[in-house]
């Protein structure tokens, strides 16, 4: 993976990336650690995979806390941030990357519970650890961000609606965050090649990825999109608090 952020530019800072045992979250954690940040690797139930990433990141000379938490459970979230406070005292970067809703057997309300309610819970619980100059990044998709103006595949619609609800709920915090000197950025990307969501969509709707790739011209892969998420954690906050990654010409603007 190429160096995305200047070496040592985040030395002494601490970043927590939710859902970071694999995929976009893991690569985002790598980019932040390569820039010198201490990293909290959060996972739901894949402890060995998360511990392996933690060992890799420690090899970069940073401190790493690997902590499991069910983000839909308030006690679990509180316990995670208690650990973060004991280990690091404060938090400089919070990347809200964890999402879901297409998994089998999780119940019809799971998408909303994870993609809206849990995102708000994590931010509220993290707030006491965030200070002036810190940054919150919410990761979403164009299919969710533009769902009010552009229909998406039926298989993805419940997830898209719940992620947009999560984005809207988080945006309500922007004035309070700004008052505290905390930046907030939504990073929205097209379908990302190699993610579990893309795999599940392809399984439910064969040809979906190829069709979107043809329409967009190209699709970002996991590491390319993670690089944009990492940049959003440090670069100036856009006026509308939004970074759109990849083609948006086929989406109706809000």
């Amino acid at each position: 993976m190429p160096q995305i952020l200047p070496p040592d530019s985040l030395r002494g800072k601490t970043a927590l990336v939710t859902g970071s045992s694999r995929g976009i979250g893991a690569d985002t954690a790598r980019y932040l650690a390569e820039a010198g940040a201490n990293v909290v690797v959060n996972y739901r139930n894949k402890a060995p995979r998360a511990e392996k990433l933690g060992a890799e990141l420690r090899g970069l000379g940073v401190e790493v806390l690997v902590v499991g938490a069910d983000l839909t459970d308030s006690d679990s979230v509180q316990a995670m941030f208690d650990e973060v406070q004991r280990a690091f005292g404060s938090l400089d970067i919070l990347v809200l990357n964890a999402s879901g809703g297409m998994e089998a057997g999780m119940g019809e309300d799971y998408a909303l519970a994870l993609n809206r309610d849990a995102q708000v819970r994590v931010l509220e619980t993290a707030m006491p650890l965030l200070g002036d100059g810190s940054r919150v990044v919410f990761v979403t998709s164009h299919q969710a961000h533009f769902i009010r103006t552009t229909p998406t595949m039926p298989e993805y619609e419940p997830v898209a609606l719940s992620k947009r609800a999560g984005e809207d709920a988080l945006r309500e915090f922007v004035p309070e965050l700004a008052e505290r000197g905390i930046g907030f950025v939504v990073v929205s990307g097209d379908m990302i090649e190699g993610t579990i969501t893309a795999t599940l969509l392809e399984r439910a709707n064969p040809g979906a990825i190829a069709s979107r790739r043809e329409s967009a011209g190209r699709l970002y892969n996991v590491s390319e999109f993670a690089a944009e998420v990492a940049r959003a954690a440090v670069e100036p906050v856009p006026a509308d608090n939004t970074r759109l990654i990849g083609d948006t010409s086929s989406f109706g603007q809000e």
Side-chain angles (χ1 to χ4, degrees):
M1 289 170 58
Q3 180 86 40
I4 295 300
L5 305 176
D8 291 325
S9 59
L10 293 176
R11 188 67 61 186
K13 305 288 189 182
T14 299
L16 186 155
V17 184
T18 63
S20 51
S21 69
R22 67 177 174 190
I24 293 165
D27 278 0
T28 300
R30 284 189 184 94
Y31 289 130
L32 298 174
E34 285 173 354
N38 299 319
V39 175
V40 182
V41 175
N42 159 252
Y43 67 94
R44 188 180 70 190
N45 54 18
K46 294 290 192 293
R49 188 170 59 195
E51 293 288 358
K52 182 179 178 181
L53 175 64
E56 176 192 333
L57 300 186
R58 290 185 190 103
L60 297 172
V62 301
E63 294 183 51
V64 181
L65 175 66
V66 179
V67 55
D70 177 355
L71 303 185
T72 65
D73 179 84
S74 57
D75 290 341
S76 185
V77 171
Q78 185 63 60
M80 175 174 70
F81 283 106
D82 287 346
E83 285 196 52
V84 173
Q85 184 163 26
R86 280 194 295 270
F88 299 113
S90 62
L91 193 61
D92 302 285
I93 297 169
L94 173 64
V95 180
L96 298 169
N97 166 73
S99 66
M102 293 192 68
E103 304 89 337
M106 298 300 287
E108 60 180 275
D109 295 330
Y110 180 68
L112 205 56
L114 177 59
N115 297 330
R116 182 193 64 188
D117 302 344
Q119 307 303 316
V120 171
R121 178 182 298 110
V122 171
L123 177 56
E124 288 179 331
T125 312
M127 201 86 82
L129 298 180
L130 298 167
D132 188 19
S134 59
R135 182 71 56 90
V136 177
V137 180
F138 176 66
V139 181
T140 190
S141 66
H142 292 347
Q143 287 74 20
H145 180 70
F146 293 107
I147 188 62
R148 291 199 290 247
T149 58
T150 308
T152 190
M153 290 173 284
E155 297 85 357
Y156 189 65
E157 186 173 288
V159 176
L161 289 168
S162 64
K163 284 188 70 67
R164 182 66 221 207
E167 178 182 336
D168 292 342
L170 291 169
R171 284 183 183 275
E172 292 183 10
F173 285 86
V174 168
E176 180 183 353
L177 293 170
E179 196 174 292
R180 298 182 182 209
I182 302 167
F184 175 79
V185 186
V186 171
V187 181
S188 177
D190 209 328
M191 287 184 188
I192 308 299
E193 305 243 28
T195 61
I196 187 65
T197 298
T199 301
L200 291 172
L201 279 172
E202 185 68 22
R203 191 178 299 162
N205 191 348
I209 303 302
S211 174
R212 182 60 201 151
R213 188 189 305 117
E214 183 178 350
S215 173
R218 71 169 289 240
L219 295 177
Y220 280 62
N221 63 32
V222 168
S223 64
E224 289 171 331
F225 184 64
E228 298 297 336
V229 175
R231 290 188 183 104
V234 298
E235 293 182 354
V237 176
D240 62 353
N241 301 89
T242 310
R243 289 171 68 112
L244 300 176
I245 309 303
D247 179 68
T248 61
S249 61
S250 60
F251 294 92
Q253 301 303 305
E254 292 198 291

